[in-house]
Amino acid sequence: MRKLGTVIAALALVFGFAAPAQAATGTPCSIQNGACLRLSTNEAWLIYNGALSYGPVPVTHGRPGYETPTGTFSVLRKVKDDWSVPYNAPMPYSVYFTVSGIAFHEGSLTDLSHGCVHLSPEAAVTFFDNLLVGEQVEVVG
């Protein structure tokens, strides 16, 4: 996934144009490297070097009272086979981006979460493999 973004960025330089990340990626986010999440449409993307590298993929997120926070965060840590103690549930391929424990992870695409972002099994692996600690996660409404 990362190489696709590099190729697109190189072509932009060769042809002498630069566009804001939002226009270049077709997402509502302005980050250069990381993940973009739009809550209103239940979609997420991966962005590398200012270019779209994966997505959109369907997601579910926090239910009323457990809303997924909006803003720009950093990937804090990744745990391949984690377990939620408060909710007694598996969290495969977790990519944490808040200190309160909000993460992207494999989960139901029909049931809302307690704040985490659920991804399909394939998307969870892709996000886990391609998001690096320190990269940004931008969450918009």
Side-chain angles (χ1 to χ4, degrees), residues 13-103:
L13 290 174
V14 168
F15 290 105
F17 66 87
Q22 181 175 354
T25 64
T27 73
C29 298
S30 59
I31 60 170
Q32 293 296 303
N33 290 297
C36 173
L37 170 63
R38 182 167 45 201
L39 301 173
S40 64
T41 59
N42 297 314
E43 295 175 292
W45 301 262
L46 291 176
I47 299 168
Y48 180 66
N49 283 344
L52 179 66
S53 66
Y54 181 71
V57 296
V59 302
T60 54
H61 51 82
R63 65 185 71 190
Y66 297 92
E67 289 82 3
T68 303
T70 58
T72 302
F73 309 90
S74 292
V75 173
L76 301 174
R77 64 188 175 101
K78 299 170 20 170
V79 182
K80 187 175 181 182
D81 294 307
D82 212 358
W83 186 266
S84 171
V85 173
Y87 303 108
N88 194 30
M91 296 175 59
Y93 300 101
S94 292
V95 179
Y96 290 90
F97 60 91
T98 74
V99 294
S100 62
I102 305 296

